[in-house]
Amino acid sequence: LSGVPGFALPSVHTQQAYAPDGTFTARWTRADALQIKAHSSTSVPAGQNSLPAQLIMPDIPADFPSINPDVWVWDTWTLIDKHANQYSYNGWEVIFCLTADKNAGYGFDDRHTHARIGYFYRRAGVPASRRPANGGWIYGGLIIPEGAQEQVFAGTTYTITAEWSGSMRLLNTNGNDVSLFYTDMAFNRNAAGEDITPSQAVITQSLGKIHADFNHVWFTGFTTHTALLRPDGVLYQNGAQNPYYNFRDPFTFEDPKHPGTNYMVFEGNTAGQRETPRCTDADLGYRPNDPQAETLQQVLDSGAYYQMAAIGLARATDSSLSKWTFLSPLITANCVNDQTERPQMYIDNGKYYIFTISHRTTFAAGVDGPDGVYGFVGNGIRSDFQPMNYGSGLVLGNPTDLNTPAGTDYDPDPQQNPRAFQSYSHYVMPGGLVESFIDTIETRRGGTLAPTVKVRIGGAASAVDTHYGNGGLGGYGDIPANRVDINILAF
Ligand code: FRU
């Protein structure tokens, strides 16, 4: 096996499957993640893309259309069954988005503490070329009756609540019962916006019904909110251990190899005190005697141990999906990255892929990569997952110059590629279609859906399909159903 001169080899990962209830946790190691830097050109002019083109989302034009004048839109998901098929309902496609009121006097960067889950719908079965440029989505309003999500925090002290990401399960494909899994957030903050006590993140279920007639789509229910999981501090880090802990973004699914059992992946962090260096040689992942290997002491001295992401797994212990038990993390990124967000299980052709989104600014000291999608492949839901593409993990990044500082989406570095924050919160849909939202393009803020792109996924390698859409960019917010709900018959 030949590596890149000057860089260590990636870790060995067998893709072997382990029992879902077991304790094997795969590692996205430093040796793996450093392959991103290894495959980044050091000679591009500043502000260009330094990364391999087949792993990079094409440039989104700066004159992008907006989905809606009244609400900011970011993380978006679809109406799915236990196998992540996307259903239309009664002839309508439906999406669920984090939204924030544009008219309430706060900007896009203040959205997180005002986030509410809203929905949009549009007629199913119309090709993107015959839709309006913005995708033609009709805003339907909010899903949860105002304040209902606060019941989860009864008896606790908080100043503001928010609804963060999750997923929507169609419980029966011949009925209209749906289950929302989302992250119920409560913040206890002073007037300056600082935490008085750590935020509370609770993975929560709420049941409702979808309805549609010839003119519109609407929802009822979502009045009862059941707390499913709070981080235990044993497998998953909690607020007492780290006020900046991440715990959110539930995605449920069934494994065809274990029919009848429901699983959930979610974003978490490795348990333990934030200040305690907890990485090991295994997290570094260097092969024996690799001349390019870092020492554990070097890594710990760099402060990389503040970045301790984990992709969590839980199993439902009742058929109504209202009781869950934690299992060991599927993948950790200790001393590699602090956030592996919106993880999803994507099963295709006998292979199990975990896709997750992450940021350049949450990588640990010494490792680097763009904002975008990272992917891992194995032979079962718990595997010795192999990071895709050169063993790096990178699947779909924003055009980024890794030789130039990251900047931020709200304060871009003028030397950086003006599209380094063009999109985020990607979700991989059936057939490798990927939807996301626009964050910042040439200093213009988005808060709207990005063009859909297509990734060809084949085992440990993937590539952006440049024949899809216009040079690789499909329609804005083109989020098609791949299944028709049986209710179409009643239409
Ligand atoms: C990803 C994310 C999610 C979270 C939401 C909050 O964009 O960080 O992990 O649920 O945004 O706005």
Side-chain angles (χ1 to χ4, degrees):
L1 206 154
S2 67
V4 176
F7 285 86
L9 289 170
S11 306
V12 177
H13 298 278
T14 63
Q15 300 190 29
Q16 183 190 331
Y18 292 81
D21 286 19
T23 56
F24 179 86
T25 296
R27 289 181 170 88
W28 184 24
T29 67
R30 286 179 72 88
D32 297 332
L34 277 167
Q35 304 307 313
I36 302 168
K37 243 195 217 176
H39 289 87
S40 175
S41 166
T42 52
S43 60
V44 295
Q48 299 292 304
N49 169 53
S50 68
L51 295 160
Q54 79 276 12
L55 305 182
I56 295 301
M57 190 173 184
D59 282 6
I60 303 174
D63 63 349
F64 56 83
S66 180
I67 187 173
N68 185 273
D70 296 315
V71 286
W72 299 113
V73 165
W74 65 110
D75 297 21
T76 294
W77 58 94
T78 55
L79 181 62
I80 56 172
D81 68 6
K82 60 190 178 186
H83 295 132
N85 286 305
Q86 306 189 158
Y87 281 77
S88 62
Y89 184 78
N90 237 336
W92 299 97
E93 287 170 350
V94 190
I95 53 173
F96 308 91
C97 312
L98 295 190
T99 65
D101 189 354
K102 275 189 188 172
N103 305 312
Y106 46 79
F108 191 50
D109 296 308
D110 302 312
R111 67 188 183 277
H112 301 287
T113 47
H114 299 281
R116 294 285 180 267
I117 299 168
Y119 72 100
F120 291 80
Y121 56 95
R122 67 177 192 180
R123 287 249 165 244
V126 179
S129 58
R130 303 209 2 237
R131 307 243 188 217
N134 70 356
W137 292 102
I138 301 161
Y139 181 51
L142 301 180
I143 291 283
I144 298 173
E146 185 60 42
Q149 82 282 5
E150 304 210 347
Q151 61 196 251
V152 165
F153 305 111
T156 71
T157 303
Y158 58 89
T159 52
I160 191 166
T161 64
E163 302 160 16
W164 284 9
S165 289
S167 49
M168 188 72 94
R169 267 278 285 269
L170 185 61
L171 291 176
N172 40 5
T173 51
N174 56 356
N176 69 341
D177 294 309
V178 295
S179 174
L180 172 66
F181 298 92
Y182 74 106
T183 316
D184 207 356
M185 294 294 301
F187 303 91
N188 183 27
R189 294 195 165 164
N190 64 22
E194 298 152 347
D195 283 341
I196 302 165
T197 50
S199 62
Q200 300 178 59
V202 183
I203 291 179
T204 299
Q205 180 190 37
S206 189
L207 300 174
K209 287 180 189 292
I210 182 171
H211 311 269
D213 62 16
F214 194 74
N215 297 312
H216 73 311
V217 173
W218 72 101
F219 289 86
T220 55
F222 304 109
T223 51
T224 301
H225 291 251
T226 306
L228 303 181
L229 294 167
R230 293 182 173 87
D232 57 357
V234 178
L235 288 171
Y236 300 101
Q237 191 178 51
N238 60 26
Q241 296 172 329
N242 176 2
Y244 311 109
Y245 76 109
N246 301 287
F247 183 77
R248 52 184 180 265
D249 303 349
F251 171 92
T252 70
F253 64 98
E254 232 186 72
D255 177 3
K257 283 189 199 164
H258 300 91
T261 305
N262 280 279
Y263 295 98
M264 174 196 292
V265 285
F266 57 89
E267 172 181 3
N269 287 114
T270 301
Q273 284 301 131
R274 178 169 193 263
E275 305 72 29
T276 308
R278 285 166 292 136
C279 302
T280 64
D281 279 312
D283 295 323
L284 274 50
Y286 294 108
R287 300 182 190 201
N289 307 317
D290 192 318
Q292 305 293 339
E294 306 164 286
T295 66
L296 183 57
Q297 198 56 49
Q298 283 170 334
V299 172
L300 296 179
D301 288 347
S302 75
Y305 59 87
Y306 289 113
Q307 278 72 38
M308 300 285 284
I311 294 177
L313 185 69
R315 177 169 43 81
T317 56
D318 71 351
S319 59
S320 54
L321 311 183
S322 67
K323 290 196 173 67
W324 294 76
T325 184
F326 281 129
L327 300 173
S328 292
L330 292 181
I331 302 179
T332 54
N334 300 334
C335 279
V336 171
N337 198 307
D338 202 44
Q339 295 191 343
T340 43
E341 311 204 273
R342 293 195 69 191
Q344 56 177 121
M345 187 69 71
Y346 185 97
I347 305 171
D348 184 41
N349 226 342
K351 285 290 181 187
Y352 291 70
Y353 300 87
I354 292 182
F355 293 115
T356 182
I357 52 168
S358 196
H359 308 275
R360 188 169 181 204
T361 53
T362 54
F363 272 98
V367 275
D368 204 356
D371 279 41
V373 182
Y374 291 82
F376 306 85
V377 60
N379 293 326
I381 67 170
R382 181 181 299 282
S383 294
D384 184 3
F385 284 103
Q386 182 175 356
M388 291 169 68
N389 297 313
Y390 325 111
S392 73
L394 179 59
V395 168
L396 182 71
N398 283 335
T400 305
D401 175 8
L402 286 195
N403 313 300
T404 299
T408 63
D409 49 354
Y410 54 91
D411 187 16
D413 185 314
Q415 297 298 307
Q416 183 49 260
N417 189 307
R419 287 177 173 73
F421 296 100
Q422 69 172 6
S423 64
Y424 193 60
S425 211
H426 309 73
Y427 175 76
V428 184
M429 306 187 283
L433 298 179
V434 186
E435 58 94 0
S436 59
F437 79 90
I438 297 177
D439 187 345
T440 303
I441 298 178
E442 294 179 2
T443 71
R444 181 180 171 211
R445 300 312 295 271
T448 187
L449 295 180
T452 294
V453 298
K454 188 175 179 189
V455 175
R456 285 186 278 115
I457 301 163
S462 69
V464 173
D465 184 346
T466 53
H467 299 294
Y468 175 76
N470 184 1
L473 292 180
Y476 287 88
D478 191 30
I479 303 177
N482 70 319
R483 291 282 190 282
V484 172
D485 188 275
I486 202 86
N487 285 284
I488 191 78
L489 299 174
F491 201 42

